[in-house]
Amino acid sequence: MEKQNLFKKFIYSQKTAPYVFLLPFAISFLVFFAYSIFDTFVMSFQRVAGGNTEFIGLKNYQVLFNPIFFKALKNSIFYMIVTCCIMIPFPMLLATALNSKSMRCKNMYRSLLFIPALTSVVVAGVVFRLMFGELPNSFMNQLIARFGAEPIIWLRRVPTVWLVLFLLCIWRWTGVNMMYFLSGLQQIPEDLYESASIDGASAIQKFFHITVPLLKPTSVYVLTISIYGGMAMFTESYILFNGNSSPNNIGLTIVGYLYKMGFEQNNIGLGSAIGVVLLCIVLIINVIQLKFNGGIFAKRKEK
Amino acid sequence: MKRLFTVLAVLILSISFVFAGGSSEAAPAAAAPEMDGSTQGTNTFVEGGTELSLWTFQELHVAFWTQMADEWNAQYPDRAINLTVSSAESGALHNRLLIACQAGVGTPDIADIEIGRYGSFLRDGYLLPINDAVEPYQDDVIMSRITMYGDGTGNWYGIDFHLGESVAYYNMDIMNAAGVDPADIVTWDDYLEAGKIVLEKTGVPMCVVETNDLFLPQLMLLEKGGQYVDENGNPNIDTPEHAEVINFIREMIEAGVCIICPGGGLHEEEWYGFMNGGGVASVCMPLWYMGRFTDYMPDLNGKIGIYEIPVWNEGDVRAVLQGGTGTSVLKFTQHEQLAKDFLAFAKLSEFGNRYEWEVLGFDPIRTSLWTDPTITENPDNKYLQYFLDNPFDILNKNGVDLTAPDIRGGYSAAYSVLCSTTYVNAFEMSIDTPAEELLANEQATIIYY
């Protein structure tokens, strides 16, 4: 009885309760995040080799800044920018269309657009790789042959590789982003549209002057996760090129380079250095982006 | 304070991003069972046997290992083992093995390690020398297939499944249509001239060159006595021999005799379809490539002739070994001697070599099998049925003096660059850059320290 009381006292105490509730997060943060980050920093100054691990100073960082690293970085940033440019306006328009009253078969379209999100990226990548085969009898080459075009070597040439990667991204993620926007649209009060209609606003005017501004919080959120997603892209390229080795590194991403150096070539120290540099880059991009958009920062001030 | 909190929130988000990268790395590994089915196998359980574990990246090897364990238990009941074999997709398996070695826990006793990745494991001292276990078999086998998995100081660490001697496979329908007899092709110059005739008569190229692997240039380089690493094991791809090889392949491409391999490599779906459809007249690959013909190119059954590879100068030895898998004992094992002896038995005994040839289609390391009629003239063997020529004729003709690639130290690092940029640039993207200049640039991008 005494014991239980003590326990109750402890749990219901205003002073201790917050710490108790925070504990699970704090522990998992310390073990899985803080420790790993710390160790990554340490390893980025080492040559990691089981029992023979030794400190080698800044060697990993000196080696890191080589043309292949910059190519991978360029690829990742390009992918991130283009996907952000496509994956915000396009799903927003679709969501608006699906939200409008005059749209028929809403649920069918919603499901159709969302189904790709349920497939594994690996499966999707394999299907895309086979569809975009380079022989004349591959699916896409047969398709373009109907329009009289010559077969294309899709996955070993620069512009078409990007086309395939963006198509895969659009196919896979449009439904997810559309769902975010749909839920954002549901928050916009109907009377705003009504009063705009009374004032004689056209559908296009309503979209640009009501929908887009009021969807801003959702857009900022989608932009933030798209930046993460774009910079972290790895699986798509790994599967599309059947194992992380694209010709002349045309599809090598920064995480792909980390994987290549750290795991494939047994250079965990260099891999860690790439991870550290990547962390800094993404941190900087997102802090700037959020500041620019007044995202988190502005909202907190309002309160 | 609030601002501090938001900055912290962004920091945490960004950190979780790094881990998002980490988890997506795991995705292909986790998906491996979907793609090629990870499997486990065990031998018939023996009471009191020692537990041994083995990892392989090739599902076909699982049955090989469990059968070898059964045979071992039958022959050495006092040293019985219970072997558990696990297979997984190649990239995932090698990464897992490497991490386990670095941590020093969770490694298997024995592991199959692919030749391109072997140097990494050897260099950091994760493997045990197996000299004493190999020595009893020394006189019966081709030792270059064992010494190549060595450190250059007399210690050997791995044994291969096969000899992997390279040969030239010709599509005889095309060669006959062109009126060229492959037996007349001795030098690479002959090969080029024959290719021109084939192209003129049939419109089909003579050969292909890979951009995502290195078999053809490596074969030519080995024939010249060149290697991708220097005598100390440092990566060295910027050599005059290598430049000559690139220039010769470029000459073949220029003449239309050689094209870029559809799909980029000789293990791609596009290539199998292309070769199977009679799109190319010949391909030079090791004898273990026979299995790819029987599995992926059924339409060529009874049409493929096996000949020796061309040489640079008449009279040169034509024997070159390529590809491979070095099976090794990890230094973390509790049963060092047993693991080594079992490994040597499985890979070097006559029983093991028969299985390797008959089931897996691997040219045996044991020379006695090359003249054993129950092997070389076995009417039920699917490889002997498929091909027009007997591969053992070439093995016997070329003899036992065989050149193997030097895979020490920087080979893995060089291999990665060669297969991702060097050969794409040399044969496809920067075909006008002089070979010497190109190789110097490529050499500069190899990361090895």
Side-chain angles (χ1 to χ4, degrees), chain A residues 57-76:
Chain A
L58 287 172
K59 178 87 182 167
N60 287 329
Y61 288 94
Q62 283 165 0
V63 174
L64 174 61
F65 296 103
N66 65 58
I68 298 174
F69 171 78
F70 287 114
K71 181 157 198 177
L73 188 62
K74 217 176 72 192
N75 285 345
S76 283

Side-chain angles (χ1 to χ4, degrees), chain A residues 32 36 47 49-50 60 66 134-135 156-157 228 232 248-249 257 259 263-266 268 282-283 296, chain B residues 6 13-14 17 19 95 98-99 102 117 120 123-124 126 260 262-263 270 416 420-421 425 428 447 449:
Chain A
F32 294 109
S36 322
R47 198 186 103 71
N60 287 329
N66 65 58
E134 62 189 65
L135 293 183
R156 289 196 288 124
R157 295 289 183 275
Y228 290 140
N248 215 9
N249 296 321
Y257 190 58
Y259 186 87
F263 298 109
E264 289 174 13
Q265 293 200 29
N266 187 21
I268 300 276
V282 176
L283 207 63
I296 303 174
Chain B
T6 51
L13 263 171
S14 309
F17 155 77
F19 287 90
N95 295 341
L98 202 53
I99 301 291
Q102 269 159 356
R117 310 278 306 250
S120 300
R123 176 181 167 212
D124 288 336
Y126 299 139
I260 302 294
E270 285 98 333
S416 166
S420 62
T421 60
N425 284 330
E428 198 171 16
I447 291 174
Y449 56 91

Side-chain angles (χ1 to χ4, degrees), chain B residues 169-284:
Chain B
Y169 299 93
Y170 289 95
N171 183 332
M172 293 310 290
D173 278 5
I174 297 173
M175 297 309 284
N176 291 337
V180 178
D181 182 2
D184 296 338
I185 299 174
V186 178
T187 64
W188 285 108
D189 289 326
D190 296 344
Y191 188 76
L192 175 57
E193 291 311 314
K196 286 177 185 167
I197 299 171
V198 169
L199 183 66
E200 192 193 326
K201 295 266 173 68
T202 65
V204 167
M206 185 72 160
C207 65
V208 297
V209 63
E210 293 169 290
T211 52
N212 71 8
D213 217 329
L214 46 64
F215 282 97
L216 181 62
Q218 185 186 45
L219 177 151
M220 292 178 161
L221 185 64
L222 290 173
E223 283 187 320
K224 281 182 176 288
Q227 294 285 357
Y228 292 126
V229 294
D230 65 16
E231 59 273 20
N232 300 318
N234 291 314
N236 184 24
I237 61 170
D238 182 16
T239 56
E241 295 86 27
H242 199 190
E244 286 164 25
V245 166
I246 287 178
N247 284 332
F248 185 79
I249 296 175
R250 282 176 166 182
E251 198 184 327
M252 292 204 293
I253 294 174
E254 194 110 315
V257 165
C258 178
I259 61 164
I260 302 294
C261 181
L266 296 173
H267 293 92
E268 306 291 332
E269 289 95 347
E270 285 98 333
W271 155 254
Y272 293 136
F274 187 69
M275 178 83 199
N276 189 38
V280 61
S282 75
V283 60
C284 291

Side-chain angles (χ1 to χ4, degrees), chain A residues 239-278:
Chain A
I239 301 295
L240 216 50
F241 297 106
N242 213 354
N244 210 18
S245 53
S246 49
N248 215 9
N249 296 321
I250 48 176
L252 185 72
T253 67
I254 191 80
V255 181
Y257 190 58
L258 188 158
Y259 186 87
K260 191 175 210 145
M261 286 298 146
F263 298 109
E264 289 174 13
Q265 293 200 29
N266 187 21
N267 199 334
I268 300 276
L270 182 58
S272 302
I274 299 171
V276 169
V277 171
L278 181 60

Side-chain angles (χ1 to χ4, degrees), chain A residues 77 104 247 273:
Chain A
I77 290 178
R104 284 159 181 275

